[in-house]
Amino acid sequence: MIAQPSSSSRLANFVAIGPGLLFVLCLFIVPLGVLALRSITDPHLGFGNYDTLVTSPTYLRVAWRTIWISVAAAMICAIAGTPVAYSLAHSDRRSRNTLMLAVLVLSFLTSSLIRTFSWMVIFGAQGPLSRMLDIFGWGPSGLLGSSTAVIVGMVHFLLPVYILTAFSGLRKVPYHLVAAAEGLGASRIFAVATVYLPLATPSIVNAGCVVFIIGVGFFITPALLGGPRQTMLAQLIARSVTQFGDFGFAAAGGVILLAITLGCLWIVRILARGGAPK
Amino acid sequence: MKYIPSKLAIRLAVAALSLTPAYAQQKLTISASGGSYDACVKQVYSDSFEKENGIKVVVGSPAYDTGVWRAQQESGKVEWDVATSDPGQLQQLVENGWVLPLDPKLLQSKGGLVDFPGMVTTKDNKVYALPSEIFSIVVTYNSDAFPGEKPRTWSDVFDVKRFPGKRLFSNSVVDFGVLEVALLADGVEPSKLYPLDVERALKKLDTIKSDIAWYDFGTQQIALLQQGEAVIGAGWDGRVKALQKEGVHVDFSPDQAIVKPDLWVLPKGANAEAGARFLRHIHDPQRQADFAKCIGYAPALKGAYSLLGTGQKFTIDPQDLSKVVPWGANYWAEHARDVTTRFNEWLTQ
């Protein structure tokens, strides 16, 4: 039986979540509504901005590219970050864990502009990476202005976010089930793959979604490390504001970016539900 | 301990606060273009303005972002009393009524301006911007990359056989002459450049598309040249000179330079009286000569050239403007949006 909450505890609940709700309402829902309204009223009433956006080959191309670059970055984060989060979540070696967390947080706190500029030097035609590739005969042209450069720069920013998010979820996965499976004769790898991973999937998917959402809005990394063929939606939106002050058009771009993000999350949720144990 | 009634304390505090503005200096907020430009504005224009007028000058955020202009004008919170602009942006500022007309006598004073089409923008016989120096888009190259023959014209920039390496271009098609440069390289006469044949220009750019390193921001232009990422392309004369001062081996050719003025405007809804005083202050041959030496762009006032001293060479020769190509302010006022749309489509392909 579930105990019915008394009216006083309901009131207490409301008081407790009130400030949070108000915060979200004032700083997120209202501005978002204003933005959406602007997208259909500026410069004229109607869906002209959306019409321009969805019929523009440039925007369609760039929207598609934004999705695949962000998906690629999120997948690399999941592949490279999950083992780290796993070891952080279930290891008893305290001092090592502290050190790893400190490295992650420090890297996260370094300005993304500085990190991006560092990659510019590394990927540049005169940079160390290009000279190394030259030894293997891959030419001295450098990687600056390639999708590889953009994805590496994005992963560098997103990986700490991924690991920290996945870590907090993985900590709650009952690790003793792996030990139980081993006790029943499974190998460690088999136990992790069949017992642990299905339980960990929601945390991995969640963390992947978080970095995907951040990735979709990336601006400075593709601007500095990529070329025109790596242009992402946020850059086009920014350009329409700085060059022409087209607030309505930019707002429509923002709404579409949001819709794309929500659509992708929806697909991921369906896929994740299909993969998780019933 | 002595007891001070809290009401008295509040009154004292209020009185102190209300007195402050009366004693404080008048303040003028200017907006420049950031980086070395701001440093030269301070060194040449604003420090001396403070001394002569007793008005404190504060450098605010840069004004090249039209979105910031619009936000300030729509909210009524105008931050800048005087701001920099360029001919492309000016059209939008004037059309929207975000800038004030200037005193016409100002421009005719002090020996007059270097005269080429597009130098002064007028609407309904009113002048809305004061040109302060002339900005040139020039054939820019890394001198170490080409020890023998030096590139001279725009067709050299498109010649990947004689001058191999990455090309440097801005992806901001309206302001930095990408299409103009391509057409000049393709043999179009400077006098027949406008209206631009956009498709022909893109076709010409296609021949070197895989060799171009595009940049978003002016600072990137410097970084790409400095790191040797790009070795030839369209640069800005002032930036190249700044790099030369730092010992970087870059140079430029003044042939077929595309020229346009840097402008100052008075935003509507700000302290226009103090702003106009600042404009009169910078509209001075000696100060413009000093500013040109600092920034590397040529002065807008004819009278400034005789004050430059020896060893100061600029892209512009006010006596002979036949070698430079004026940027087409009128053409771009009409076509900025459609050409940008077409160019971005080509660029992101």
PDB file of all heavy atoms in Angstrom, chain B residues 26-30 41 45-47 49-50 55-59 278:
ATOM      1  N   GLN B  26      32.382  64.537 -16.504  1.00  0.00           N
ATOM      2  CA  GLN B  26      31.487  64.064 -17.547  1.00  0.00           C
ATOM      3  C   GLN B  26      32.155  62.860 -18.203  1.00  0.00           C
ATOM      4  O   GLN B  26      33.388  62.771 -18.247  1.00  0.00           O
ATOM      5  CB  GLN B  26      31.303  65.183 -18.563  1.00  0.00           C
ATOM      6  CG  GLN B  26      29.942  65.168 -19.194  1.00  0.00           C
ATOM      7  CD  GLN B  26      29.848  66.185 -20.283  1.00  0.00           C
ATOM      8  OE1 GLN B  26      30.585  67.170 -20.297  1.00  0.00           O
ATOM      9  NE2 GLN B  26      28.953  65.953 -21.211  1.00  0.00           N
ATOM     10  N   LYS B  27      31.342  61.954 -18.712  1.00  0.00           N
ATOM     11  CA  LYS B  27      31.913  60.718 -19.241  1.00  0.00           C
ATOM     12  C   LYS B  27      31.489  60.521 -20.692  1.00  0.00           C
ATOM     13  O   LYS B  27      30.378  60.857 -21.075  1.00  0.00           O
ATOM     14  CB  LYS B  27      31.404  59.551 -18.390  1.00  0.00           C
ATOM     15  CG  LYS B  27      32.217  58.292 -18.522  1.00  0.00           C
ATOM     16  CD  LYS B  27      31.659  57.186 -17.656  1.00  0.00           C
ATOM     17  CE  LYS B  27      30.484  56.521 -18.334  1.00  0.00           C
ATOM     18  NZ  LYS B  27      29.941  55.382 -17.611  1.00  0.00           N
ATOM     19  N   LEU B  28      32.392  59.996 -21.515  1.00  0.00           N
ATOM     20  CA  LEU B  28      32.083  59.715 -22.916  1.00  0.00           C
ATOM     21  C   LEU B  28      32.435  58.259 -23.186  1.00  0.00           C
ATOM     22  O   LEU B  28      33.577  57.846 -22.990  1.00  0.00           O
ATOM     23  CB  LEU B  28      32.907  60.628 -23.829  1.00  0.00           C
ATOM     24  CG  LEU B  28      32.721  60.407 -25.324  1.00  0.00           C
ATOM     25  CD1 LEU B  28      31.529  61.203 -25.827  1.00  0.00           C
ATOM     26  CD2 LEU B  28      33.965  60.817 -26.086  1.00  0.00           C
ATOM     27  N   THR B  29      31.433  57.480 -23.605  1.00  0.00           N
ATOM     28  CA  THR B  29      31.718  56.078 -23.909  1.00  0.00           C
ATOM     29  C   THR B  29      31.880  55.919 -25.424  1.00  0.00           C
ATOM     30  O   THR B  29      30.984  56.280 -26.181  1.00  0.00           O
ATOM     31  CB  THR B  29      30.585  55.165 -23.413  1.00  0.00           C
ATOM     32  OG1 THR B  29      30.379  55.422 -22.026  1.00  0.00           O
ATOM     33  CG2 THR B  29      30.930  53.709 -23.611  1.00  0.00           C
ATOM     34  N   ILE B  30      33.034  55.431 -25.834  1.00  0.00           N
ATOM     35  CA  ILE B  30      33.249  55.226 -27.263  1.00  0.00           C
ATOM     36  C   ILE B  30      33.345  53.726 -27.540  1.00  0.00           C
ATOM     37  O   ILE B  30      33.637  52.933 -26.654  1.00  0.00           O
ATOM     38  CB  ILE B  30      34.533  55.912 -27.775  1.00  0.00           C
ATOM     39  CG1 ILE B  30      35.777  55.306 -27.131  1.00  0.00           C
ATOM     40  CG2 ILE B  30      34.479  57.389 -27.537  1.00  0.00           C
ATOM     41  CD1 ILE B  30      37.049  55.780 -27.759  1.00  0.00           C
ATOM     42  N   VAL B  41      43.554  54.125 -30.600  1.00  0.00           N
ATOM     43  CA  VAL B  41      42.546  55.142 -30.282  1.00  0.00           C
ATOM     44  C   VAL B  41      42.893  55.791 -28.955  1.00  0.00           C
ATOM     45  O   VAL B  41      42.854  57.019 -28.805  1.00  0.00           O
ATOM     46  CB  VAL B  41      41.125  54.530 -30.235  1.00  0.00           C
ATOM     47  CG1 VAL B  41      40.153  55.475 -29.558  1.00  0.00           C
ATOM     48  CG2 VAL B  41      40.635  54.225 -31.643  1.00  0.00           C
ATOM     49  N   TYR B  45      43.911  59.397 -29.847  1.00  0.00           N
ATOM     50  CA  TYR B  45      42.690  60.205 -29.799  1.00  0.00           C
ATOM     51  C   TYR B  45      42.172  60.463 -28.381  1.00  0.00           C
ATOM     52  O   TYR B  45      41.919  61.593 -27.987  1.00  0.00           O
ATOM     53  CB  TYR B  45      41.569  59.534 -30.609  1.00  0.00           C
ATOM     54  CG  TYR B  45      41.805  59.487 -32.105  1.00  0.00           C
ATOM     55  CD1 TYR B  45      41.305  58.436 -32.863  1.00  0.00           C
ATOM     56  CD2 TYR B  45      42.508  60.494 -32.762  1.00  0.00           C
ATOM     57  CE1 TYR B  45      41.507  58.385 -34.248  1.00  0.00           C
ATOM     58  CE2 TYR B  45      42.716  60.458 -34.134  1.00  0.00           C
ATOM     59  CZ  TYR B  45      42.208  59.400 -34.869  1.00  0.00           C
ATOM     60  OH  TYR B  45      42.389  59.355 -36.218  1.00  0.00           O
ATOM     61  N   SER B  46      41.962  59.392 -27.597  1.00  0.00           N
ATOM     62  CA  SER B  46      41.157  59.583 -26.393  1.00  0.00           C
ATOM     63  C   SER B  46      41.938  60.183 -25.228  1.00  0.00           C
ATOM     64  O   SER B  46      41.390  60.970 -24.465  1.00  0.00           O
ATOM     65  CB  SER B  46      40.450  58.296 -25.996  1.00  0.00           C
ATOM     66  OG  SER B  46      41.357  57.301 -25.656  1.00  0.00           O
ATOM     67  N   ASP B  47      43.227  59.861 -25.088  1.00  0.00           N
ATOM     68  CA  ASP B  47      43.997  60.460 -23.988  1.00  0.00           C
ATOM     69  C   ASP B  47      44.071  61.983 -24.144  1.00  0.00           C
ATOM     70  O   ASP B  47      43.855  62.731 -23.185  1.00  0.00           O
ATOM     71  CB  ASP B  47      45.409  59.869 -23.938  1.00  0.00           C
ATOM     72  CG  ASP B  47      45.413  58.501 -23.249  1.00  0.00           C
ATOM     73  OD1 ASP B  47      44.330  58.103 -22.762  1.00  0.00           O
ATOM     74  OD2 ASP B  47      46.467  57.854 -23.207  1.00  0.00           O
ATOM     75  N   PHE B  49      42.019  63.825 -25.861  1.00  0.00           N
ATOM     76  CA  PHE B  49      40.658  64.359 -25.724  1.00  0.00           C
ATOM     77  C   PHE B  49      40.312  64.573 -24.254  1.00  0.00           C
ATOM     78  O   PHE B  49      39.746  65.606 -23.883  1.00  0.00           O
ATOM     79  CB  PHE B  49      39.664  63.397 -26.371  1.00  0.00           C
ATOM     80  CG  PHE B  49      38.236  63.860 -26.309  1.00  0.00           C
ATOM     81  CD1 PHE B  49      37.766  64.833 -27.187  1.00  0.00           C
ATOM     82  CD2 PHE B  49      37.352  63.339 -25.362  1.00  0.00           C
ATOM     83  CE1 PHE B  49      36.442  65.266 -27.137  1.00  0.00           C
ATOM     84  CE2 PHE B  49      36.038  63.774 -25.301  1.00  0.00           C
ATOM     85  CZ  PHE B  49      35.591  64.731 -26.197  1.00  0.00           C
ATOM     86  N   GLU B  50      40.679  63.608 -23.435  1.00  0.00           N
ATOM     87  CA  GLU B  50      40.427  63.731 -21.989  1.00  0.00           C
ATOM     88  C   GLU B  50      41.101  64.968 -21.424  1.00  0.00           C
ATOM     89  O   GLU B  50      40.505  65.738 -20.679  1.00  0.00           O
ATOM     90  CB  GLU B  50      40.981  62.497 -21.257  1.00  0.00           C
ATOM     91  CG  GLU B  50      40.001  61.372 -21.119  1.00  0.00           C
ATOM     92  CD  GLU B  50      40.560  60.230 -20.286  1.00  0.00           C
ATOM     93  OE1 GLU B  50      41.501  60.447 -19.486  1.00  0.00           O
ATOM     94  OE2 GLU B  50      40.057  59.126 -20.441  1.00  0.00           O
ATOM     95  N   ILE B  55      36.709  65.544 -20.187  1.00  0.00           N
ATOM     96  CA  ILE B  55      35.685  64.505 -20.239  1.00  0.00           C
ATOM     97  C   ILE B  55      36.379  63.154 -20.224  1.00  0.00           C
ATOM     98  O   ILE B  55      37.283  62.903 -21.028  1.00  0.00           O
ATOM     99  CB  ILE B  55      34.834  64.640 -21.528  1.00  0.00           C
ATOM    100  CG1 ILE B  55      34.092  65.974 -21.525  1.00  0.00           C
ATOM    101  CG2 ILE B  55      33.848  63.480 -21.650  1.00  0.00           C
ATOM    102  CD1 ILE B  55      33.337  66.252 -22.806  1.00  0.00           C
ATOM    103  N   LYS B  56      35.966  62.313 -19.292  1.00  0.00           N
ATOM    104  CA  LYS B  56      36.619  61.011 -19.199  1.00  0.00           C
ATOM    105  C   LYS B  56      36.125  60.106 -20.330  1.00  0.00           C
ATOM    106  O   LYS B  56      34.935  60.008 -20.574  1.00  0.00           O
ATOM    107  CB  LYS B  56      36.301  60.394 -17.841  1.00  0.00           C
ATOM    108  CG  LYS B  56      36.955  59.062 -17.647  1.00  0.00           C
ATOM    109  CD  LYS B  56      37.284  58.772 -16.190  1.00  0.00           C
ATOM    110  CE  LYS B  56      37.946  57.408 -16.062  1.00  0.00           C
ATOM    111  NZ  LYS B  56      39.108  57.257 -16.969  1.00  0.00           N
ATOM    112  N   VAL B  57      37.065  59.447 -21.019  1.00  0.00           N
ATOM    113  CA  VAL B  57      36.685  58.558 -22.118  1.00  0.00           C
ATOM    114  C   VAL B  57      36.753  57.104 -21.658  1.00  0.00           C
ATOM    115  O   VAL B  57      37.751  56.669 -21.086  1.00  0.00           O
ATOM    116  CB  VAL B  57      37.607  58.756 -23.341  1.00  0.00           C
ATOM    117  CG1 VAL B  57      37.214  57.790 -24.452  1.00  0.00           C
ATOM    118  CG2 VAL B  57      37.544  60.186 -23.828  1.00  0.00           C
ATOM    119  N   VAL B  58      35.665  56.382 -21.871  1.00  0.00           N
ATOM    120  CA  VAL B  58      35.608  54.966 -21.528  1.00  0.00           C
ATOM    121  C   VAL B  58      35.427  54.190 -22.833  1.00  0.00           C
ATOM    122  O   VAL B  58      34.620  54.575 -23.671  1.00  0.00           O
ATOM    123  CB  VAL B  58      34.407  54.685 -20.600  1.00  0.00           C
ATOM    124  CG1 VAL B  58      34.348  53.211 -20.227  1.00  0.00           C
ATOM    125  CG2 VAL B  58      34.471  55.556 -19.363  1.00  0.00           C
ATOM    126  N   VAL B  59      36.200  53.125 -23.017  1.00  0.00           N
ATOM    127  CA  VAL B  59      36.028  52.313 -24.217  1.00  0.00           C
ATOM    128  C   VAL B  59      35.039  51.192 -23.910  1.00  0.00           C
ATOM    129  O   VAL B  59      35.269  50.379 -23.017  1.00  0.00           O
ATOM    130  CB  VAL B  59      37.371  51.736 -24.701  1.00  0.00           C
ATOM    131  CG1 VAL B  59      37.152  50.838 -25.909  1.00  0.00           C
ATOM    132  CG2 VAL B  59      38.325  52.869 -25.068  1.00  0.00           C
ATOM    133  N   PHE B 278      34.030  64.828 -29.806  1.00  0.00           N
ATOM    134  CA  PHE B 278      35.064  63.814 -30.038  1.00  0.00           C
ATOM    135  C   PHE B 278      35.359  63.703 -31.540  1.00  0.00           C
ATOM    136  O   PHE B 278      36.513  63.586 -31.949  1.00  0.00           O
ATOM    137  CB  PHE B 278      34.616  62.460 -29.474  1.00  0.00           C
ATOM    138  CG  PHE B 278      35.665  61.389 -29.554  1.00  0.00           C
ATOM    139  CD1 PHE B 278      36.706  61.346 -28.640  1.00  0.00           C
ATOM    140  CD2 PHE B 278      35.623  60.425 -30.553  1.00  0.00           C
ATOM    141  CE1 PHE B 278      37.685  60.366 -28.721  1.00  0.00           C
ATOM    142  CE2 PHE B 278      36.598  59.440 -30.639  1.00  0.00           C
ATOM    143  CZ  PHE B 278      37.630  59.411 -29.717  1.00  0.00           C
TER     144      PHE B 278
END
